[in-house]
Structures are given as structure tokens and as C-alpha cells.
Amino acid sequence: MKCAWAYDTTPAMRAYHDEWGNPQHDDQRLFELLSLEIFQAGLSWQTILQKRPALRQAFAAFNIDRVAAFGPLDVDRLVADPAIIRNRRKILAVINNAQVCQQIQREQSLDEYFWRMVGGEPIINHWHSPTEVPAQTALAQTISQVMKKRGFKFVGPKIIYSFMQASGMVNDHLDECSRKFHHD
């Protein structure tokens, strides 16, 4: 059994469901997930899944150092690319966030930075219905504020909570879901 949002959807969405919520500890992967959540704001996740390969290509596989070095010509190239989400504010936020990630990596890994905010272990919630799953939490609001002070952009509490779910910092699979305690 899968979470309700993965039923009767596309194969890509069902596959993403099985990826969603697995604890991620690789810095590049964490940066990619944060970036994808930024691009998803205001759009369906299905749209992001369709554009994910193009986003990976356009953003150098979300290589932090390469994205951090993007300049005005890269921004113009990205805004003109019909294969991706061409929102200038989101594009600029991802580039800015890569630069902030570089700063953090001079002190510690992104893995340490993000996972310390949840005590180093996934927060496992117990939901029985999709209507119980919150769009944000007090902890996501706090993390959002901490990240904004650090210089991150486009990281409101809803985006951060979605990032926490996607990266496995929060396990919001429904209790009845076969993926609740299965991590790859």
C-alpha cells in the first residue's frame, strides 16, 4: 500500500513516492532536493518530475560549486530555457543558495548542518489520513528563519517542510504505507 497521494498517479509519481522520505545524507543530493522544492513552489510535483531531467542538466547536476559560479549569462540562458521552470526569482535563489552552501561547507557538511536541526534522526510522524499531514510545522518555521539569517533565499516554512519530508528528515508516510519504515 502507498500513501494516498501516490495512488492512481503516473509511474513517475509512484516511483518518486518510493524515493520520498528516505534519509539523504549526501550534500549534492540535499542541495538538489532543496532546489527542486524551490522550483515546485506554486506548481504541482508532477510538473517538477517531468522537468527534473532538464533541471538537472541545466543546473550542472546540481553540483554546488558549478551552480555557485553561475553568472548573469547563465541566468539569461536559464530564463530562456523552455525545458525548465523559467522563474527568474527561483533561478536566482538556487544560485544564491549554492553560494551559501559553499560557505557552510567550509565549516561543516550540509548533511551535518541540516540533520543537526532535527537532532540527527528522522522525525517519524504517525498519520492515518493525508488530511492530517501538515503543510508546515513550528520546527520548519524555525529552520526557515535560521536559513534566511544564513542567507538562503526562497526558503519559507512550507518549502522547508517539503524539503524535510523529501530528504527524510521527517517521515510523513502514512502509517499504513508499505514505505513507512523501509529506507533504501
Side-chain angles (χ1 to χ4, degrees):
M1 184 159 133
K2 293 189 183 295
C3 295
W5 59 265
Y7 281 107
D8 300 324
T9 59
T10 65
M13 186 68 93
R14 286 190 297 275
Y16 178 69
H17 167 268
D18 293 346
E19 169 189 339
W20 183 77
N22 289 331
Q24 301 296 321
H25 295 282
D26 177 77
D27 282 13
Q28 294 297 137
R29 182 83 174 111
L30 289 165
F31 175 66
E32 177 181 358
L33 290 173
L34 178 61
S35 299
L36 292 175
E37 293 299 343
I38 289 168
F39 281 116
Q40 190 273 327
L43 302 171
S44 73
W45 191 251
Q46 185 61 43
T47 298
I48 299 306
L49 288 177
Q50 290 169 349
K51 293 189 178 278
R52 189 181 200 180
L55 286 163
R56 281 181 172 155
Q57 182 175 354
F59 283 88
F62 291 100
N63 177 289
I64 295 167
D65 294 331
R66 290 187 58 198
V67 174
F70 282 8
L73 293 177
D74 295 297
V75 173
D76 291 343
R77 170 184 57 83
L78 293 166
V79 170
D81 186 346
I84 68 167
I85 288 51
R86 299 184 296 172
N87 181 304
R88 183 177 292 273
R89 286 184 56 231
K90 291 177 181 181
I91 291 166
L92 290 170
V94 168
I95 295 167
N96 171 81
N97 293 349
Q99 294 164 351
V100 174
C101 287
Q102 282 183 317
Q103 294 168 5
I104 290 168
Q105 287 179 318
R106 289 185 197 110
E107 304 162 15
Q108 62 188 316
S109 68
L110 292 181
D111 176 54
E112 293 168 313
Y113 177 79
F114 287 120
W115 280 88
R116 185 175 332 165
M117 294 188 211
V118 295
E121 295 289 328
I123 296 167
I124 300 172
N125 291 316
H126 295 282
W127 313 117
H128 299 283
S129 164
T131 59
E132 294 178 289
V133 181
Q136 63 177 301
T137 63
L139 179 58
Q141 291 171 354
T142 299
I143 293 171
S144 170
Q145 291 170 354
V146 167
M147 290 177 68
K148 286 177 182 177
K149 285 181 185 171
R150 185 72 195 225
F152 283 97
K153 304 286 185 204
F154 227 100
V155 290
K158 288 183 181 177
I159 289 172
I160 293 306
Y161 195 67
S162 293
F163 167 68
M164 292 168 69
Q165 292 170 313
S167 65
M169 288 188 274
V170 171
N171 184 328
D172 273 346
H173 283 284
L174 300 181
D175 282 352
E176 296 78 19
C177 179
S178 60
R179 299 294 297 184
K180 181 67 177 193
F181 296 106
H182 182 273
H183 303 295
D184 295 330

